[in-house]
């Protein structure tokens, strides 16, 4: 049976793998979809780069799977502890976020399918409507993308609250995680409102997440954290 410390190390590894998948997809693969600034820019790029689209989808699924494993590990580590109820809420929010993420990945796949159909069509009407089609798909993706990010920020907030209140990680790291999660949600909320997303609000959570992963890989969960109750211990009388 794994110790609490070992569970923490597994959590650190999974955070790091999910972190790497998100960085590669969001900052390397996805910006490369657009091949030109014309009406077929993203549709043409998606149609001509099916391998890139497939890798984006696979990395997105890997990141979603990592998030679910993280939530499961935290729930397992807090079983029987006062923070278990918050951990269950965290698991539910993560599951909801992954549903949004799956719909977002479907929009990326749609971009490739529509791009291939437009490229193969000889109809002037289809070509003329390409810009509208691209705008529609991009809008659909954004409608899913920003709520997905906002839900992800809320799930990170709950995770840091659980880890901090369970005393599995240093208090300072937990408090920084809570503050960084609130910062991320503030930045993403501007995108939900149709305004420019300020990436300065998003960076703190990325930095704290990386610090958390490295800390857990090195030290794991603190075994001196909030102890789980002993089910064999007799009930203590209440204090009036």
């Amino acid at each position: 049976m794994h110790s609490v410390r070992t569970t923490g190390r597994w959590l650190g590894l999974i955070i790091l793998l999910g972190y790497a998948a998100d960085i590669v997809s969001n900052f390397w693969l996805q910006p490369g979809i657009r091949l030109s600034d014309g009406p077929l820019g993203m549709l043409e790029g998606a149609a001509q780069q099916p391998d890139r689209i497939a890798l984006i989808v696979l990395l997105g699924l890997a990141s979603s799977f990592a998030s679910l494993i993280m939530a499961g590990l935290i729930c397992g580590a807090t079983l029987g502890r006062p923070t278990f109820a918050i951990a269950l809420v965290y698991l539910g929010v993560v599951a909801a976020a992954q549903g949004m993420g799956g719909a977002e990945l479907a929009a990326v796949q749609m971009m490739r399918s529509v791009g291939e159909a437009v490229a193969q069509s000889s109809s002037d009407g289809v070509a003329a409507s390409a810009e509208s089609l691209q705008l529609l798909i991009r809008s659909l993706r954004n409608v899913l993308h920003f709520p997905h990010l906002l839900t992800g920020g809320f799930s990170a907030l709950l995770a840091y609250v659980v880890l901090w209140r369970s005393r599995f990680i240093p208090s300072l790291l937990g408090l920084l995680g809570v503050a960084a999660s609130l910062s991320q949600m503030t930045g993403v909320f501007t995108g939900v409102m149709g305004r420019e997303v300020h990436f300065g609000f998003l960076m703190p959570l990325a930095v704290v997440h990386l610090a958390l992963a490295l800390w857990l890989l090195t030290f794991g969960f603190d075994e001196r954290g909030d102890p789980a109750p002993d089910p064999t211990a007799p009930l203590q009388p209440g204090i009036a």
Side-chain angles (χ1 to χ4, degrees):
M1 183 177 179
H2 290 302
S3 67
V4 173
R5 189 177 299 278
T6 302
T7 299
R9 288 198 171 101
W10 276 111
L11 182 64
L13 176 61
I14 293 167
I15 291 174
L16 202 58
L17 292 176
Y19 184 92
D22 288 338
I23 292 295
V24 171
S25 178
N26 293 328
F27 295 99
W28 179 47
L29 292 174
Q30 295 189 39
I33 294 176
R34 177 181 288 277
L35 293 183
S36 68
D37 293 328
L40 285 176
M42 294 188 72
L43 297 180
E44 183 182 27
Q48 293 185 14
Q49 303 176 89
D51 292 342
R52 180 182 290 267
I53 297 297
L55 192 53
I56 289 172
V57 172
L58 287 175
L59 287 176
L61 292 174
S63 177
S64 297
F65 190 49
S67 296
L68 289 171
I69 294 176
M70 286 168 51
L73 287 173
I74 291 176
C75 281
T78 57
L79 185 63
R81 301 172 189 268
T83 51
F84 180 63
I86 305 176
L88 282 179
V89 175
Y90 164 57
L91 178 60
V93 173
V94 168
Q98 302 328 306
M100 296 180 189
E104 184 181 341
L105 293 176
V108 175
Q109 286 277 47
M110 185 188 302
M111 195 179 301
R112 182 183 70 178
S113 299
V114 173
E116 290 173 346
V118 171
Q120 294 172 4
S121 175
S122 58
S123 170
D124 293 337
V126 173
S129 63
E131 187 169 4
S132 297
L133 288 171
Q134 178 176 248
L135 178 61
L136 176 63
I137 297 174
R138 287 182 61 190
S139 299
L140 175 62
R141 180 182 176 274
N142 287 339
V143 164
L144 297 166
H145 183 64
F146 291 117
H148 178 212
L149 289 180
L150 190 60
T151 308
F154 182 54
S155 69
L157 173 66
L158 292 174
Y160 279 105
V161 168
V162 171
L163 296 177
W164 167 43
R165 292 289 301 275
S166 300
R167 293 184 285 183
F168 284 148
I169 60 175
S171 296
L172 178 59
L173 186 55
L175 290 172
L176 286 175
V178 170
S181 299
L182 291 173
S183 175
Q184 187 264 9
M185 293 170 67
T186 301
V188 172
F189 188 72
T190 60
V192 174
M193 299 298 292
R195 300 174 183 174
E196 183 180 356
V197 176
H198 298 284
F199 287 96
F201 285 97
L202 311 184
M203 286 303 297
L205 184 58
V207 173
V208 175
H209 243 33
L210 181 59
L212 174 64
L214 295 176
W215 174 273
L216 290 175
L217 278 173
T218 304
F219 301 105
F221 284 155
D222 190 344
E223 294 179 329
R224 297 169 300 174
D226 189 17
D230 184 358
T232 64
L235 293 176
Q236 297 297 322
I239 300 177

